[in-house]
Every structure is written in C-alpha cells, then in structure tokens.
Coordinates of all heavy atoms in Angstrom, one line a residue:
M1 N -55.4 -72.1 -10.0 CA -55.4 -71.1 -11.0 C -54.1 -70.4 -11.1 O -53.6 -70.1 -12.2 CB -56.5 -70.1 -10.6 CG -56.7 -69.0 -11.6 SD -58.2 -68.1 -11.3 CE -58.2 -67.0 -12.6
Y2 N -53.4 -70.2 -10.0 CA -52.1 -69.6 -10.0 C -51.1 -70.5 -9.2 O -50.7 -70.3 -8.1 CB -52.0 -68.2 -9.3 CG -52.9 -67.2 -10.0 CD1 -54.1 -66.9 -9.4 CD2 -52.5 -66.6 -11.1 CE1 -55.0 -66.0 -10.1 CE2 -53.3 -65.6 -11.7 CZ -54.5 -65.3 -11.2 OH -55.3 -64.4 -11.8
P3 N -50.7 -71.7 -9.8 CA -50.0 -72.7 -9.1 C -48.6 -72.1 -8.6 O -48.2 -72.5 -7.5 CB -49.8 -73.8 -10.1 CG -50.1 -73.2 -11.4 CD -51.0 -72.1 -11.2
D4 N -47.9 -71.2 -9.4 CA -46.7 -70.7 -8.9 C -46.9 -69.9 -7.6 O -46.1 -69.9 -6.7 CB -46.0 -69.9 -10.0 CG -45.5 -70.8 -11.1 OD1 -45.3 -72.0 -10.9 OD2 -45.4 -70.3 -12.2
R5 N -47.9 -69.1 -7.6 CA -48.2 -68.2 -6.5 C -48.5 -69.0 -5.3 O -48.1 -68.8 -4.2 CB -49.3 -67.2 -6.8 CG -49.3 -66.0 -6.0 CD -50.3 -65.0 -6.4 NE -49.8 -64.3 -7.6 CZ -50.6 -63.5 -8.3 NH1 -51.8 -63.2 -7.9 NH2 -50.1 -62.9 -9.4
M6 N -49.3 -70.1 -5.5 CA -49.7 -71.0 -4.4 C -48.4 -71.7 -3.8 O -48.2 -71.7 -2.6 CB -50.7 -72.0 -4.8 CG -52.1 -71.4 -5.0 SD -53.3 -72.6 -5.7 CE -53.0 -74.0 -4.8
R7 N -47.6 -72.1 -4.7 CA -46.3 -72.8 -4.2 C -45.5 -71.8 -3.4 O -44.9 -72.2 -2.4 CB -45.6 -73.4 -5.4 CG -44.5 -74.3 -5.0 CD -43.8 -75.0 -6.2 NE -44.8 -75.2 -7.3 CZ -44.7 -74.9 -8.5 NH1 -43.6 -74.4 -9.0 NH2 -45.6 -75.2 -9.4
A8 N -45.3 -70.6 -3.9 CA -44.5 -69.6 -3.2 C -45.0 -69.4 -1.8 O -44.3 -69.3 -0.9 CB -44.5 -68.3 -4.0
S9 N -46.4 -69.2 -1.7 CA -46.9 -69.0 -0.3 C -46.7 -70.2 0.6 O -46.5 -70.0 1.8 CB -48.4 -68.5 -0.4 OG -49.2 -69.6 -0.9
Q10 N -46.8 -71.4 0.0 CA -46.6 -72.6 0.8 C -45.2 -72.7 1.3 O -44.9 -73.0 2.4 CB -47.0 -73.8 0.1 CG -48.5 -74.0 -0.1 CD -48.9 -75.1 -1.1 OE1 -48.1 -75.6 -1.8 NE2 -50.1 -75.5 -1.0
D11 N -44.2 -72.4 0.4 CA -42.8 -72.4 0.8 C -42.5 -71.3 1.8 O -41.8 -71.6 2.7 CB -42.0 -72.2 -0.5 CG -42.0 -73.4 -1.4 OD1 -42.5 -74.4 -1.0 OD2 -41.6 -73.2 -2.6
A12 N -43.1 -70.2 1.6 CA -42.9 -69.1 2.6 C -43.4 -69.4 4.0 O -42.8 -69.1 5.0 CB -43.5 -67.8 2.1
A13 N -44.5 -70.2 4.0 CA -45.1 -70.6 5.3 C -44.2 -71.5 6.1 O -44.3 -71.6 7.3 CB -46.5 -71.2 5.1
T14 N -43.3 -72.2 5.4 CA -42.5 -73.2 6.1 C -41.1 -72.6 6.5 O -40.3 -73.3 7.2 CB -42.2 -74.4 5.3 OG1 -41.5 -74.1 4.1 CG2 -43.5 -75.1 5.0
L15 N -40.8 -71.3 6.1 CA -39.5 -70.7 6.5 C -39.5 -70.4 8.0 O -40.4 -70.0 8.6 CB -39.3 -69.5 5.7 CG -39.2 -69.7 4.2 CD1 -39.0 -68.3 3.5 CD2 -38.0 -70.6 3.8
A16 N -38.3 -70.6 8.5 CA -38.0 -70.2 9.9 C -36.7 -69.6 9.9 O -35.8 -69.8 9.1 CB -38.1 -71.5 10.8
G17 N -36.4 -68.8 11.0 CA -35.2 -68.1 11.0 C -34.7 -68.0 12.5 O -35.4 -68.1 13.4
V18 N -33.4 -67.7 12.6 CA -32.7 -67.5 13.8 C -31.8 -66.2 13.7 O -31.1 -66.1 12.7 CB -31.7 -68.7 14.2 CG1 -30.9 -68.4 15.4 CG2 -32.5 -70.0 14.3
C19 N -31.9 -65.4 14.7 CA -31.1 -64.1 14.7 C -30.6 -63.9 16.1 O -31.3 -64.0 17.0 CB -31.9 -63.0 14.2 SG -31.1 -61.4 14.2
L20 N -29.3 -63.5 16.2 CA -28.8 -63.2 17.5 C -28.6 -61.7 17.7 O -28.0 -61.0 16.8 CB -27.4 -63.9 17.7 CG -26.8 -63.8 19.1 CD1 -27.7 -64.5 20.1 CD2 -25.4 -64.3 19.1
R21 N -29.3 -61.1 18.6 CA -29.2 -59.6 18.9 C -28.4 -59.4 20.1 O -28.6 -60.0 21.1 CB -30.6 -59.0 19.1 CG -31.5 -59.1 17.9 CD -32.8 -58.3 18.1 NE -33.4 -58.5 19.4 CZ -34.6 -59.1 19.6 NH1 -35.2 -59.6 18.6 NH2 -35.1 -59.2 20.8
T22 N -27.5 -58.4 20.0 CA -26.8 -58.0 21.2 C -27.4 -56.8 21.8 O -27.7 -55.8 21.1 CB -25.3 -57.7 20.8 OG1 -24.7 -58.8 20.2 CG2 -24.5 -57.3 22.0
E23 N -27.7 -56.8 23.1 CA -28.4 -55.7 23.8 C -27.3 -54.7 24.3 O -26.1 -55.0 24.3 CB -29.2 -56.3 25.0 CG -30.2 -57.4 24.6 CD -31.3 -56.8 23.8 OE1 -32.0 -55.8 24.3 OE2 -31.6 -57.3 22.7
S24 N -27.8 -53.6 24.7 CA -26.9 -52.5 25.2 C -26.0 -52.9 26.4 O -24.9 -52.4 26.5 CB -27.7 -51.2 25.5 OG -28.6 -51.5 26.5
D25 N -26.5 -53.8 27.2 CA -25.7 -54.3 28.4 C -24.8 -55.4 28.0 O -24.1 -55.9 28.9 CB -26.7 -54.7 29.5 CG -27.5 -56.0 29.1 OD1 -27.4 -56.5 28.0 OD2 -28.2 -56.4 30.0
G26 N -24.7 -55.8 26.8 CA -23.8 -56.9 26.3 C -24.4 -58.2 26.3 O -23.8 -59.2 25.8
G27 N -25.6 -58.3 26.9 CA -26.3 -59.6 26.8 C -26.9 -59.9 25.4 O -27.0 -58.9 24.6
C28 N -27.3 -61.1 25.2 CA -27.8 -61.4 23.9 C -29.2 -62.0 24.0 O -29.6 -62.6 24.9 CB -26.9 -62.4 23.2 SG -25.3 -61.8 22.8
V29 N -30.0 -61.8 22.9 CA -31.3 -62.4 22.7 C -31.3 -63.2 21.4 O -30.9 -62.6 20.4 CB -32.4 -61.3 22.7 CG1 -33.8 -61.9 22.4 CG2 -32.4 -60.5 24.0
L30 N -31.7 -64.4 21.5 CA -31.8 -65.3 20.3 C -33.3 -65.1 19.8 O -34.2 -65.5 20.5 CB -31.5 -66.7 20.7 CG -31.5 -67.7 19.6 CD1 -30.3 -67.4 18.6 CD2 -31.3 -69.1 20.1
A31 N -33.4 -64.5 18.7 CA -34.8 -64.3 18.1 C -35.1 -65.4 17.1 O -34.3 -65.6 16.2 CB -34.8 -62.9 17.5
L32 N -36.3 -66.0 17.2 CA -36.7 -67.0 16.3 C -37.9 -66.4 15.5 O -38.7 -65.6 16.0 CB -37.1 -68.3 17.0 CG -36.1 -68.9 17.9 CD1 -36.7 -70.1 18.7 CD2 -34.9 -69.4 17.0
S33 N -38.1 -66.9 14.3 CA -39.2 -66.5 13.5 C -39.7 -67.6 12.6 O -39.0 -68.6 12.3 CB -38.9 -65.3 12.6 OG -37.8 -65.7 11.7
G34 N -41.0 -67.5 12.2 CA -41.6 -68.5 11.3 C -42.1 -69.7 12.0 O -42.4 -69.7 13.2
R35 N -42.2 -70.8 11.2 CA -42.8 -72.0 11.8 C -41.6 -72.9 12.3 O -40.7 -73.2 11.6 CB -43.4 -72.8 10.7 CG -44.7 -72.2 10.2 CD -45.3 -73.1 9.0 NE -45.6 -74.4 9.5 CZ -46.8 -74.8 10.0 NH1 -47.8 -73.9 10.1 NH2 -47.0 -76.1 10.3
I36 N -41.7 -73.1 13.6 CA -40.7 -73.9 14.3 C -41.3 -75.3 14.5 O -42.0 -75.6 15.5 CB -40.2 -73.3 15.6 CG1 -39.8 -71.9 15.5 CG2 -39.1 -74.2 16.2 CD1 -38.7 -71.6 14.5
D37 N -41.2 -76.1 13.5 CA -41.8 -77.5 13.5 C -40.8 -78.5 13.0 O -39.7 -78.2 12.6 CB -43.1 -77.5 12.7 CG -42.9 -77.1 11.2 OD1 -41.8 -77.1 10.7 OD2 -43.9 -76.9 10.5
V38 N -41.3 -79.7 13.0 CA -40.4 -80.9 12.6 C -39.8 -80.7 11.2 O -38.6 -81.0 11.0 CB -41.1 -82.2 12.8 CG1 -42.2 -82.4 11.7 CG2 -40.1 -83.4 12.8
T39 N -40.5 -80.1 10.3 CA -40.0 -79.9 8.9 C -38.9 -78.8 8.9 O -37.8 -79.0 8.4 CB -41.1 -79.5 8.0 OG1 -42.1 -80.5 8.0 CG2 -40.6 -79.3 6.6
A40 N -39.1 -77.7 9.6 CA -38.2 -76.6 9.6 C -36.9 -77.0 10.4 O -35.8 -76.6 10.1 CB -38.8 -75.4 10.3
L41 N -37.0 -77.9 11.4 CA -35.9 -78.2 12.2 C -34.8 -79.0 11.5 O -33.7 -79.0 11.9 CB -36.4 -78.9 13.5 CG -37.1 -78.0 14.5 CD1 -37.6 -78.8 15.7 CD2 -36.2 -76.9 15.0
A42 N -35.2 -79.6 10.4 CA -34.2 -80.3 9.6 C -33.1 -79.4 9.2 O -31.9 -79.8 9.2 CB -34.9 -81.0 8.4
S43 N -33.4 -78.2 8.9 CA -32.3 -77.2 8.6 C -32.0 -76.2 9.7 O -30.9 -75.6 9.7 CB -32.7 -76.5 7.3 OG -33.9 -75.8 7.5
L44 N -32.9 -76.0 10.6 CA -32.8 -75.0 11.6 C -32.0 -75.5 12.9 O -31.4 -74.6 13.5 CB -34.2 -74.5 12.0 CG -34.2 -73.2 12.9 CD1 -33.7 -72.1 12.1 CD2 -35.7 -73.0 13.3
W45 N -32.0 -76.7 13.2 CA -31.5 -77.2 14.4 C -30.0 -76.9 14.6 O -29.6 -76.2 15.6 CB -31.7 -78.8 14.5 CG -31.3 -79.3 15.9 CD1 -30.0 -79.6 16.3 CD2 -32.1 -79.6 17.0 NE1 -30.1 -80.1 17.6 CE2 -31.3 -80.1 18.0 CE3 -33.5 -79.4 17.1 CZ2 -31.9 -80.4 19.2 CZ3 -34.0 -79.8 18.4 CH2 -33.2 -80.3 19.4
A46 N -29.2 -77.2 13.6 CA -27.7 -77.0 13.8 C -27.4 -75.5 13.9 O -26.6 -75.1 14.7 CB -27.0 -77.6 12.6
L47 N -28.1 -74.7 13.0 CA -27.9 -73.2 13.1 C -28.3 -72.6 14.4 O -27.6 -71.9 15.0 CB -28.7 -72.5 12.0 CG -28.6 -71.0 11.9 CD1 -27.2 -70.5 11.7 CD2 -29.6 -70.5 10.9
G48 N -29.5 -73.0 14.9 CA -29.9 -72.5 16.2 C -29.0 -72.9 17.4 O -28.7 -72.1 18.2
I49 N -28.6 -74.2 17.4 CA -27.7 -74.6 18.5 C -26.3 -73.9 18.4 O -25.8 -73.4 19.4 CB -27.5 -76.2 18.4 CG1 -28.8 -76.9 18.6 CG2 -26.4 -76.6 19.4 CD1 -29.5 -76.6 19.9
S50 N -25.8 -73.8 17.2 CA -24.5 -73.1 17.1 C -24.6 -71.7 17.5 O -23.7 -71.1 18.1 CB -23.8 -73.3 15.7 OG -24.6 -72.7 14.7
T51 N -25.7 -71.0 17.1 CA -25.9 -69.6 17.5 C -26.0 -69.5 19.0 O -25.4 -68.6 19.6 CB -27.1 -69.1 16.7 OG1 -27.0 -69.2 15.3 CG2 -27.3 -67.6 17.0
A52 N -26.8 -70.3 19.6 CA -27.0 -70.3 21.1 C -25.6 -70.5 21.8 O -25.3 -69.8 22.7 CB -28.0 -71.3 21.5
E53 N -24.8 -71.5 21.3 CA -23.6 -71.8 21.9 C -22.6 -70.6 21.7 O -21.7 -70.4 22.6 CB -23.0 -73.1 21.4 CG -23.8 -74.3 21.9 CD -23.2 -75.6 21.4 OE1 -22.5 -75.6 20.4 OE2 -23.6 -76.6 22.1
S54 N -22.7 -69.9 20.6 CA -21.8 -68.8 20.4 C -22.0 -67.6 21.4 O -21.1 -66.8 21.7 CB -21.9 -68.2 19.0 OG -23.1 -67.5 18.8
A55 N -23.2 -67.6 22.0 CA -23.5 -66.6 23.0 C -23.8 -67.2 24.3 O -24.4 -66.6 25.2 CB -24.7 -65.8 22.5
R56 N -23.3 -68.4 24.6 CA -23.6 -69.2 25.7 C -23.6 -68.4 27.1 O -24.5 -68.6 27.9 CB -22.7 -70.4 25.7 CG -22.1 -70.9 27.0 CD -21.3 -72.1 26.8 NE -21.9 -73.0 25.9 CZ -22.3 -74.2 26.3 NH1 -22.2 -74.6 27.5 NH2 -22.8 -75.0 25.4
D57 N -22.5 -67.6 27.3 CA -22.4 -67.0 28.6 C -23.1 -65.6 28.6 O -23.2 -65.0 29.7 CB -21.0 -66.8 29.0 CG -20.2 -66.0 28.0 OD1 -20.6 -66.0 26.8 OD2 -19.1 -65.4 28.3
R58 N -23.7 -65.2 27.5 CA -24.4 -63.9 27.4 C -25.9 -64.0 27.1 O -26.5 -63.0 27.0 CB -23.7 -63.0 26.4 CG -22.2 -62.7 26.7 CD -21.5 -61.9 25.6 NE -21.5 -62.7 24.4 CZ -21.9 -62.3 23.2 NH1 -22.3 -61.0 23.1 NH2 -21.8 -63.0 22.1
L59 N -26.3 -65.2 26.8 CA -27.7 -65.4 26.4 C -28.7 -65.1 27.5 O -28.6 -65.7 28.6 CB -27.9 -66.8 25.8 CG -29.2 -67.1 25.1 CD1 -29.4 -66.2 23.9 CD2 -29.3 -68.5 24.7
R60 N -29.6 -64.1 27.3 CA -30.5 -63.7 28.4 C -31.9 -64.2 28.1 O -32.7 -64.5 29.0 CB -30.6 -62.2 28.5 CG -29.3 -61.5 28.7 CD -28.8 -61.7 30.2 NE -27.7 -60.8 30.4 CZ -26.4 -61.2 30.3 NH1 -26.1 -62.4 29.9 NH2 -25.4 -60.4 30.6
A61 N -32.3 -64.3 26.8 CA -33.7 -64.7 26.5 C -33.7 -65.3 25.1 O -32.8 -65.0 24.2 CB -34.6 -63.4 26.5
I62 N -34.8 -66.0 24.8 CA -35.1 -66.5 23.5 C -36.4 -65.8 23.1 O -37.5 -66.0 23.8 CB -35.3 -68.0 23.5 CG1 -34.0 -68.7 23.9 CG2 -35.8 -68.5 22.1 CD1 -34.0 -70.2 24.2
D63 N -36.4 -65.0 22.1 CA -37.6 -64.2 21.7 C -38.3 -65.0 20.6 O -37.8 -65.2 19.5 CB -37.1 -62.9 21.1 CG -38.2 -62.0 20.7 OD1 -39.4 -62.4 20.7 OD2 -37.9 -60.8 20.4
A64 N -39.5 -65.4 20.9 CA -40.3 -66.2 20.0 C -41.6 -65.4 19.5 O -42.5 -66.0 19.0 CB -40.8 -67.5 20.7
R65 N -41.5 -64.1 19.7 CA -42.7 -63.3 19.3 C -43.0 -63.4 17.8 O -44.2 -63.3 17.4 CB -42.4 -61.8 19.6 CG -42.6 -61.5 21.1 CD -42.3 -60.1 21.3 NE -40.9 -59.8 21.2 CZ -40.3 -58.8 21.7 NH1 -41.0 -57.9 22.4 NH2 -39.0 -58.7 21.6
D66 N -42.0 -63.7 16.9 CA -42.3 -63.8 15.5 C -42.5 -65.3 15.1 O -42.5 -65.6 13.9 CB -41.2 -63.2 14.7 CG -41.2 -61.7 14.9 OD1 -42.3 -61.1 15.1 OD2 -40.1 -61.1 14.8
V67 N -42.6 -66.2 16.0 CA -42.9 -67.6 15.7 C -44.4 -67.7 15.4 O -45.2 -67.3 16.2 CB -42.5 -68.5 16.8 CG1 -43.0 -70.0 16.6 CG2 -41.0 -68.5 17.0
T68 N -44.7 -68.2 14.2 CA -46.1 -68.4 13.8 C -46.7 -69.7 14.2 O -47.9 -69.8 14.3 CB -46.2 -68.2 12.3 OG1 -45.4 -69.1 11.6 CG2 -45.8 -66.8 11.9
Y69 N -45.8 -70.7 14.4 CA -46.3 -72.0 14.8 C -45.2 -72.8 15.5 O -44.0 -72.6 15.1 CB -46.8 -72.8 13.6 CG -47.2 -74.2 13.9 CD1 -48.4 -74.5 14.5 CD2 -46.4 -75.3 13.6 CE1 -48.8 -75.8 14.8 CE2 -46.8 -76.6 13.9 CZ -48.0 -76.8 14.5 OH -48.4 -78.1 14.8
C70 N -45.5 -73.5 16.5 CA -44.5 -74.3 17.2 C -45.1 -75.6 17.6 O -46.0 -75.7 18.4 CB -44.0 -73.5 18.5 SG -42.7 -74.4 19.4
D71 N -44.6 -76.7 17.1 CA -45.1 -78.0 17.4 C -44.3 -78.7 18.5 O -43.4 -78.0 19.1 CB -45.2 -79.0 16.2 CG -43.9 -79.4 15.6 OD1 -42.8 -79.0 16.2 OD2 -43.9 -80.0 14.6
A72 N -44.5 -79.9 18.9 CA -43.8 -80.6 19.9 C -42.3 -80.6 19.6 O -41.4 -80.4 20.6 CB -44.3 -82.0 20.2
A73 N -41.9 -80.8 18.4 CA -40.5 -80.8 18.0 C -39.9 -79.4 18.2 O -38.8 -79.2 18.7 CB -40.3 -81.2 16.6
G74 N -40.7 -78.4 17.9 CA -40.2 -77.0 18.2 C -40.1 -76.7 19.7 O -39.1 -76.0 20.1
A75 N -41.0 -77.2 20.5 CA -40.9 -77.1 21.9 C -39.6 -77.7 22.4 O -38.9 -77.1 23.3 CB -42.1 -77.7 22.6
R76 N -39.2 -78.9 21.9 CA -38.0 -79.6 22.3 C -36.8 -78.7 21.9 O -35.8 -78.6 22.6 CB -37.9 -80.9 21.7 CG -36.7 -81.7 22.1 CD -36.6 -82.0 23.6 NE -35.3 -82.3 23.9 CZ -34.6 -81.8 24.9 NH1 -35.2 -80.9 25.7 NH2 -33.4 -82.1 25.2
F77 N -36.9 -78.1 20.7 CA -35.8 -77.2 20.2 C -35.6 -76.0 21.2 O -34.5 -75.7 21.5 CB -36.2 -76.7 18.8 CG -35.2 -75.8 18.2 CD1 -33.9 -76.1 18.0 CD2 -35.6 -74.5 17.8 CE1 -33.0 -75.3 17.4 CE2 -34.8 -73.7 17.2 CZ -33.4 -74.0 17.0
L78 N -36.7 -75.4 21.6 CA -36.6 -74.3 22.6 C -36.0 -74.7 23.9 O -35.1 -74.0 24.4 CB -38.0 -73.7 22.8 CG -38.6 -73.0 21.6 CD1 -40.1 -72.6 21.9 CD2 -37.8 -71.8 21.3
I79 N -36.3 -75.9 24.4 CA -35.7 -76.4 25.6 C -34.2 -76.6 25.4 O -33.4 -76.3 26.2 CB -36.4 -77.8 26.0 CG1 -37.9 -77.5 26.4 CG2 -35.6 -78.5 27.1 CD1 -38.7 -78.7 26.5
E80 N -33.9 -77.2 24.3 CA -32.4 -77.5 24.0 C -31.7 -76.1 23.9 O -30.6 -76.0 24.4 CB -32.3 -78.2 22.7 CG -30.9 -78.7 22.4 CD -30.4 -79.7 23.3 OE1 -31.2 -80.5 23.9 OE2 -29.1 -79.8 23.5
L81 N -32.3 -75.1 23.3 CA -31.6 -73.8 23.2 C -31.4 -73.2 24.6 O -30.4 -72.7 24.9 CB -32.5 -72.8 22.4 CG -32.5 -73.1 20.9 CD1 -33.5 -72.1 20.2 CD2 -31.1 -73.0 20.2
R82 N -32.4 -73.4 25.4 CA -32.3 -72.9 26.8 C -31.2 -73.6 27.6 O -30.5 -73.0 28.3 CB -33.7 -73.1 27.5 CG -34.3 -71.9 28.0 CD -35.6 -72.0 28.7 NE -36.0 -73.3 29.0 CZ -37.3 -73.6 29.4 NH1 -38.2 -72.6 29.5 NH2 -37.6 -74.8 29.7
E83 N -31.1 -74.9 27.4 CA -30.1 -75.7 28.1 C -28.7 -75.4 27.7 O -27.8 -75.7 28.4 CB -30.5 -77.2 28.0 CG -31.7 -77.5 28.7 CD -32.1 -79.0 28.5 OE1 -31.5 -79.7 27.6 OE2 -33.0 -79.4 29.2
R84 N -28.5 -74.8 26.5 CA -27.2 -74.5 26.0 C -26.6 -73.3 26.6 O -25.4 -73.0 26.5 CB -27.2 -74.3 24.5 CG -27.6 -75.6 23.7 CD -26.6 -76.7 23.8 NE -27.1 -77.9 23.2 CZ -26.3 -78.6 22.4 NH1 -25.2 -78.2 22.0 NH2 -26.8 -79.7 21.9
S85 N -27.4 -72.5 27.3 CA -26.9 -71.3 28.0 C -26.2 -71.6 29.3 O -26.7 -72.4 30.1 CB -28.1 -70.3 28.2 OG -27.6 -69.2 29.0
S86 N -25.1 -70.9 29.5 CA -24.5 -71.0 30.9 C -24.7 -69.7 31.7 O -24.2 -69.5 32.7 CB -23.0 -71.2 30.7 OG -22.4 -70.2 30.0
A87 N -25.6 -68.8 31.1 CA -25.8 -67.5 31.8 C -26.9 -67.6 32.9 O -27.3 -66.6 33.4 CB -26.2 -66.5 30.7
G88 N -27.4 -68.8 33.1 CA -28.5 -68.9 34.1 C -29.8 -69.2 33.4 O -29.8 -69.7 32.3
A89 N -30.9 -68.8 34.1 CA -32.2 -69.0 33.5 C -32.5 -68.2 32.3 O -32.4 -66.9 32.4 CB -33.3 -68.7 34.6
V90 N -32.7 -68.8 31.2 CA -33.0 -68.1 30.0 C -34.5 -68.2 29.8 O -35.1 -69.2 29.7 CB -32.2 -68.7 28.8 CG1 -32.7 -68.1 27.5 CG2 -30.8 -68.6 28.9
E91 N -35.1 -67.0 29.7 CA -36.6 -66.9 29.5 C -36.9 -67.0 28.0 O -36.3 -66.5 27.2 CB -37.0 -65.6 30.1 CG -38.5 -65.4 30.0 CD -38.9 -64.0 30.5 OE1 -38.1 -63.2 30.7 OE2 -40.1 -63.8 30.6
V92 N -38.0 -67.8 27.7 CA -38.6 -67.8 26.4 C -39.7 -66.8 26.4 O -40.7 -67.0 27.2 CB -39.0 -69.2 26.0 CG1 -39.7 -69.2 24.6 CG2 -37.9 -70.2 26.0
I93 N -39.6 -65.8 25.6 CA -40.7 -64.8 25.6 C -41.4 -64.8 24.3 O -40.9 -65.2 23.2 CB -40.1 -63.4 25.8 CG1 -39.0 -63.0 24.8 CG2 -39.6 -63.2 27.2 CD1 -38.5 -61.6 24.9
G94 N -42.7 -64.4 24.3 CA -43.5 -64.2 23.1 C -44.3 -65.4 22.6 O -44.9 -65.3 21.6
L95 N -44.2 -66.5 23.3 CA -45.0 -67.7 22.9 C -46.5 -67.4 23.2 O -46.8 -66.8 24.3 CB -44.6 -68.9 23.6 CG -43.3 -69.5 23.1 CD1 -43.0 -70.8 24.0 CD2 -43.3 -69.9 21.7
D96 N -47.4 -67.9 22.4 CA -48.8 -67.8 22.7 C -49.1 -68.8 23.8 O -48.3 -69.6 24.2 CB -49.7 -67.9 21.5 CG -49.9 -69.3 21.0 OD1 -49.7 -70.3 21.7 OD2 -50.4 -69.4 19.9
R97 N -50.3 -68.7 24.4 CA -50.6 -69.4 25.6 C -50.5 -71.0 25.4 O -50.0 -71.7 26.2 CB -52.0 -69.1 26.0 CG -52.5 -69.7 27.2 CD -53.9 -69.2 27.6 NE -54.2 -69.6 28.9 CZ -55.4 -69.2 29.5 NH1 -56.2 -68.5 28.8 NH2 -55.6 -69.6 30.7
N98 N -51.0 -71.5 24.2 CA -50.9 -72.9 24.0 C -49.5 -73.4 23.8 O -49.1 -74.4 24.3 CB -51.8 -73.3 22.7 CG -53.2 -73.1 23.0 OD1 -53.7 -73.3 24.1 ND2 -54.0 -72.8 21.9
E99 N -48.7 -72.6 23.1 CA -47.3 -73.0 22.8 C -46.5 -72.9 24.2 O -45.7 -73.8 24.4 CB -46.7 -72.1 21.8 CG -47.3 -72.3 20.4 CD -47.0 -71.2 19.4 OE1 -46.7 -70.1 19.8 OE2 -47.1 -71.5 18.2
A100 N -46.8 -71.9 25.0 CA -46.1 -71.9 26.3 C -46.5 -73.0 27.2 O -45.6 -73.6 27.8 CB -46.5 -70.5 27.0
H101 N -47.7 -73.5 27.1 CA -48.2 -74.7 27.9 C -47.4 -75.9 27.3 O -47.0 -76.7 28.1 CB -49.7 -74.8 27.7 CG -50.2 -76.0 28.5 ND1 -50.3 -76.1 29.8 CD2 -50.6 -77.2 28.0 CE1 -50.7 -77.2 30.2 NE2 -51.0 -77.9 29.1
N102 N -47.3 -76.0 26.0 CA -46.6 -77.1 25.4 C -45.1 -77.2 25.9 O -44.6 -78.2 26.2 CB -46.7 -77.0 23.9 CG -46.3 -78.2 23.2 OD1 -46.2 -79.3 23.7 ND2 -45.9 -78.1 21.9
L103 N -44.5 -76.0 26.0 CA -43.1 -75.9 26.4 C -43.0 -76.3 27.9 O -42.2 -77.0 28.4 CB -42.6 -74.5 26.2 CG -41.1 -74.3 26.6 CD1 -40.2 -75.2 25.8 CD2 -40.8 -72.8 26.4
A104 N -44.0 -75.8 28.7 CA -44.0 -76.0 30.2 C -44.1 -77.5 30.5 O -43.5 -78.0 31.4 CB -45.1 -75.2 30.9
L105 N -44.9 -78.2 29.7 CA -45.1 -79.7 29.9 C -43.8 -80.5 29.7 O -43.6 -81.5 30.2 CB -46.1 -80.2 29.0 CG -47.6 -79.8 29.3 CD1 -48.5 -80.3 28.2 CD2 -48.0 -80.3 30.6
R106 N -42.9 -79.9 28.9 CA -41.7 -80.7 28.6 C -40.4 -80.3 29.4 O -39.4 -80.8 29.2 CB -41.4 -80.5 27.1 CG -42.4 -81.2 26.3 CD -42.3 -80.9 24.8 NE -43.1 -81.8 24.0 CZ -44.5 -81.8 24.0 NH1 -45.1 -80.9 24.7 NH2 -45.1 -82.6 23.2
T107 N -40.6 -79.3 30.3 CA -39.4 -78.9 31.1 C -39.4 -79.6 32.4 O -40.3 -80.2 32.9 CB -39.4 -77.4 31.3 OG1 -40.6 -77.0 31.9 CG2 -39.2 -76.7 30.0

C-alpha cells in the first residue's frame, strides 16, 4: 500500500554504524550500531578496521549495545576489531546472550 515507506524501513533496517568515543581517562570505546551482518560488512569492514587501528593503543572496549542483529560474519568482524587493539584485552559489551555465545565459539 505504501511501497516507499516500506522500502525506507527496509533500508533503515540494514544500516550499521561505527563511532569512536574518547573516555575521560583517554581510553577509547568503539561503538557499533544497527545490523552487523554480511550485507552491512561490505561497507562497514574498512571503516571499522581503520577506526579501531586509529585508537589501537587506547581501545578499551567495543560497545555493541546498539547492535540490533549480529550474524556469523558480524561475529568475525568483532573478533577482528578486538585483535587490532594493542591495549590488551578488549571487552565486547552489550551483546545479547545468543550473540555473545556466537562470538565465544569463534575465539
């Protein structure tokens, strides 16, 4: 009935984002949002990796609280982001139970 409105909501559902926040102690948190899946990673991978590498020695956590969906490709992306840090163990926070299990199986 409203094809334009339906198309807009479908497009919005596939959007994903990356944001680097600097904390008061100088450390950084890489915040992800939206659907982190094989489709989104076509455009998100390079941006996420370059952002993580720009904060490599200050990266403390990856905040996934605003991630609405994460498939196996998304889990691999999170692992890759974690491995790009030289600051030690980078925690992935905010994943739901199933997504966290998916990530744990791949580490």
Side-chain angles (χ1 to χ4, degrees):
M1 183 168 182
Y2 299 101
D4 291 336
R5 202 174 285 173
M6 287 175 44
R7 190 172 328 129
S9 65
Q10 288 171 344
D11 291 344
T14 63
L15 295 178
V18 175
C19 175
L20 188 64
R21 293 191 315 251
T22 302
E23 303 293 305
S24 60
D25 66 356
C28 292
V29 175
L30 185 66
L32 303 173
S33 61
R35 292 179 60 91
I36 309 299
D37 61 13
V38 69
T39 303
L41 288 174
S43 60
L44 192 64
W45 188 276
L47 176 62
I49 297 301
S50 66
T51 303
E53 287 181 342
S54 73
R56 141 180 316 247
D57 58 337
R58 299 175 296 129
L59 191 60
R60 304 284 190 269
I62 298 168
D63 182 353
R65 286 180 285 201
D66 291 331
V67 170
T68 57
Y69 177 77
C70 182
D71 67 4
R76 180 65 198 129
F77 178 60
L78 292 171
I79 292 166
E80 187 68 27
L81 291 174
R82 238 180 10 195
E83 290 175 352
R84 297 294 174 129
S85 171
S86 62
V90 172
E91 181 182 10
V92 177
I93 56 174
L95 288 178
D96 76 18
R97 186 177 190 176
N98 290 331
E99 291 163 339
H101 179 72
N102 193 20
L103 182 62
L105 290 175
R106 288 169 170 73
T107 58

